[in-house]
Amino acid sequence: MNTPLLSIQGLTKAYPGVVANDDVSFDIAEGEVHALLGENGAGKSTLVKMIYGLVKPDSGTMTWQGNAFAPAEPRAARGSGVAMVFQHFSLFDALNVAENVALGMENPPPMRDLAKRIKDVSENYGLPLDPDRTVGDLSAGERQRVEIIRCLLQDPKLLIMDEPTSVLTPQEVEILFQTLRKLKSEGTSILYISHKLEEIRTLCDHATILRLGKNVGECVPAQTSARDMAEMMVGDTLQTPTRTAQDGGEVVLQVDDLSAASGNPFGTSLKNISFSVSAGEILGLGGVAGNGQDELLAALSGELLTAATAVTIRGDAVGNLGPNQRRGIGTLAAPEERLGHAAAPNMSLVENALLTGAIRQDLTKKGFVNWKGATEFADQIISEFDVRTPGSDRAARALSGGNLQKFVIGREVLQDPEVLIVNQPTWGVDAAAAAAIRQSLMDLAAKGAAIVVISQDLDELMEISDRFGALNEGRLSELRPTSGLTIDEIGLMMGGSHGMHVAGEETVEQEASA
Amino acid sequence: MIQLEKRPQPSRFWSLFTPVIAVIVTMIAGGLLFAALGKNPIEAIRTIFYDPLFGEFSFYYRPQLLVKGGPLILIAIGLSLGFRAGIWNIGAEGQYILGAICGAAVGLAFYPTESVFIFPLMILAGLLGGMLWSMIPALLKVKFGTNEILVSLMLVYVAEQLLASMSLGLLRNPDGHGFPGSRNFQDYPSGHNTEILAGTGLHWGVAAAFIAVTFAYILLNKHILGFNIRLTGEAPRAARFGGVNPTRLTILCMGISGALAGLAGLFEVSGPSGQISIDFNVGYGFTAIIVAFLGRLHPIGILLAGLLMALTYIGGEIAQANLGLPAAAIQVFQGMLLFFLLALDLLSNFRIRLAVKGAA
C-alpha cells in the first residue's frame, strides 16, 4: 500500500474538564473520501481543527505524505495543501463573490484574473457562480459554493468538509456529491464530517467513528448498515421513537392567509401562509434555513403580531395577541435559538423556568413571584427531562447545548399545551437526547395536543410528523401526508435545487411543487 | 501570555468584592496622583476617607454625608432600573432640574399661604416635572427609534437654559433687590424640606431615598416586573418571547428614573439648596450614573455607593480647602473609581489565566 496522504497517530487534546480527543489514530489515503462520524461533542471538530492548525495537540503526531506535519497555524496547513469548508460560513454579505474569495487567499491575483479563475473552476466542477454577485443575495447552497471554490482555488490535496449538507436541499446535496466525486477522481482526498449516516454510505470509502473523543471503530460504509454505524456512534442500542398515527381530531390551530413582514431587515417575510393542525396531529415543516422559519414561529408564538384572523385557535382569532395572552389559552412555543431567545444565558434555570412558565404554572400572585413554585417547576423539568446539571440555580449558559434544549422543550411540554410550536427541537443535540425529545413530542400529541415542528432535519420530520410541508422564501408548500413521500418530492416541495446543476448534465429545473 | 477565560457561571465572590478592590486600587492610584502633585498621598487619602467620618470636625461632616448621599441614591436607584433593562437615561441632571423648577414653582405660587398640603403638592409637582421631562426621550425612542442616550443628554442643556431663565425671570424673588434666584424656602415653613431629626442631615429626600432603595429591592427580587426588567437587559429577544412589551418597559423605566430624579431636585431645592438659582444643581444627575454602576445596579450596593461617593465629595472639599488640592484632581480621583470598577468587573465573568505562549 502507498504512503497515506495524512496519517494521524495518537492525537490527544484535553480542555479543562474534558478530553476532546483521546489517542485518536487513522489514515487518509490519496484520493479517498474519508468520513469522520460521531455525535455532537464526540470530538470531530477538535480533531479537524488540529489538522487545520487551529488547535495544537497535547500529544501525538501527524505525518503528511510521509513527512512530519505539525501546522502551527491555518496558513501553514493551507501551504501543505489542506483546505477546509466550515459549517458556519465566514462570508461578508455586503461584498461580492470575488471579493469574498480574495479575502480568504494569501496572495490574491488581480480582481479580473480572479473572476475568470472563479468562473473556470466553478464551471469545471459544476458549481456555477457569478463572481460579481453580492453574497447577501445568495442562497445558503450558493454561499457554500463560494466557500468550496475558495478552497478549490488553492488546489488542495485534502479538503475538509464540516457538516456540509445541513444547509442544502436533497437536490443540492446530490450536486455537491457529484462535485466531491469529481474531485476524488482527480486525486483529491476528502475528509467528510457528518452524523448523517445515509450520506456517508453513499459517498464515503472509509469511515472513522468517534465517541467521547476516542476512535471506537472503522468501517467501510457501503458494507455496513446505517443502524450498525449509529450504534457504534452512540455506543448503545438506539431507541427509535414510536407512535401511532392519529387522525380525525378537531382542528385546533388554523392559520389563514398569514402574511407578515419580518422584524429583521435580513429576515424573510411570510407570504399568504394557510394551514390547519388538528388535535393529536404533528405537522412537520421543512425547508432550508432562512426561508421564514423564525418568522413563522414568531407569528404563532405572538412575538410577531398579525391580523387577528390570520391565526385562530379553536375558532378564536388570536393573531393580534402577545405571547403571554397566547400562553393563557394554551399556545406555547420553543424557538430555535436556545441562548438569548428561548432562554436568557446569564439567568438561572429557575428564572428561565419562570420566563415562560409564569402564566400557566401560576407562578405569580398579584405580580409577586412565587420563587418556591418556580424552583419546583425548574426541578421538575430537570428530573423529568433528564437535564444534566448540578442544580436549578445554574446559569443557562453553563449547560451543554443538548441539556439546555431538553430543558427548553421540557419547560413547554410540562405545561400541557394545547398547541405547541417548536423550531429545530433537536438541533445540535446528541442522538439519545434527540430521541427523547422526539418521543416527548409524540407523547404530547398522543394526549391530544396540536403540534407544529419546524426543522431542517428531514429524517426527523419523516419520523414524527403526520403531514409535511416546506417553507420556501416565506411561502408554504402544499401539505402532504408524510407516509409515502419520496425524497425527490420533498426536495421539490423545498423549492427545487435553487438553480444548481451538475457539470455536463441537464439543468435540474427549479419549480415549485404544484 | 495572559489569557481571559470565560467562567461557566458568574463568580459570586468576585461580583461582591470587585467594588472593594476597586476602592483600594483607586486609593493607590489616587495616592500616586496626589504624590505627583507634590502632596503627601497618605495625608490626602486620610483627609478624603477618614476625616469626614472620624476627624476633628466630623460632627459637621457626618450629616453632610446624608445630605449629599440622599439625592445621589434616589437618582441612582431610578437610573439602575433602566440600566438593568438596557435603557440608558443619561439625562437625570435635566430631570432633576425640571423637578426642582416645577416643585418650587408650585410652592412659590402659594407663598405666603401656610398649609400642610403645600409641601406634598410640591413633591407631586417635582415628581411629575422630572417624569414629563424624561417622557420626551422615552416617547421619541418608542415612536421614532431615536437614541435615548443622546436625546436625554441634550435635554440636560435645555433644562439648564430653562433654569437660568426661571431664576432670572418668572421665579425670581420679587423682594430680592434684582438679584437672580427665587425666594428661599428656609423663609417659607410650609414649603421647606426640613430635617426630620434636627442635626442629622436626615431630610425628607433622604427618607425618600431609603424608601426607594427598599422598593427597588422588592421590585427586582420579588416582583415579575423586576424580573422582566432584568430579563430585558440580559436577553432582549428572550424578554419578547417571555411576553415583555419593550415599548411599555421603556416608558416605565424612563418614567420612574425621571420621577425619582425630579423628586431629588425638589427635595434639594426646597431643602439644602433652599432656592432656585442659576447654578443650584451641582451635577448630582451625572454623578448618580457613577453611583449606579459603583453599586453594581443593585439597590443595597447603590445605597453604599451613594454614601461612599458623598464621602469622596466631602473629603474632596476638605482636601481642597486644607491641602490645596486642585478640584480637577478630586474629579480625576472620582473618575478613577468608576474606571477601576468597570475594569475589575471583568473578573466576575472571566478568570485570568497565565499561559505559556503557544501551548493553547
Side-chain angles (χ1 to χ4, degrees), chain A residues 100-134:
Chain A
N100 264 294
V101 169
L103 277 173
M105 296 177 82
E106 305 294 341
N107 299 303
M111 220 28 103
R112 205 180 318 137
D113 297 356
L114 184 63
K116 192 178 172 317
R117 281 183 62 194
I118 290 173
K119 270 214 172 81
D120 290 348
V121 171
S122 68
E123 274 164 27
N124 203 358
Y125 290 97
L127 299 167
L129 202 56
D130 180 351
D132 296 325
R133 277 186 67 192
T134 307

Side-chain angles (χ1 to χ4, degrees), chain A residues 56 303 323-324 327 333 335 340-341 344 346-347 351 354-356 364 366-369 371 393-395 397-398, chain B residues 5-10 218 221-225 227 230-231 234-235 237-238 240-243 349 353 358-360:
Chain A
K56 206 173 141 90
E303 290 166 87
N324 278 339
R327 287 188 182 109
H341 193 184
N346 291 326
M347 294 181 115
E351 290 170 307
L354 178 68
L355 174 64
T356 70
T364 57
K366 290 185 177 153
F368 285 91
V369 178
W371 285 114
D393 58 339
R394 289 303 143 126
R397 74 161 195 248
Chain B
E5 201 175 85
K6 189 154 185 158
R7 296 176 193 271
Q9 184 92 2
I218 294 172
N221 288 292
K222 307 276 182 208
H223 200 275
I224 191 77
L225 182 61
F227 174 76
R230 288 190 289 134
L231 181 62
E234 288 284 350
R237 270 188 91 195
R240 257 201 134 111
F241 175 60
N349 274 311
R353 237 162 47 107

Side-chain angles (χ1 to χ4, degrees), chain A residues 77-101:
Chain A
R78 282 198 293 266
S80 307
V82 181
M84 181 156 170
V85 177
F86 289 91
Q87 188 178 3
H88 302 285
F89 306 143
S90 45
L91 299 173
F92 294 92
D93 281 355
L95 300 180
N96 72 25
V97 170
E99 287 163 340
N100 264 294
V101 169

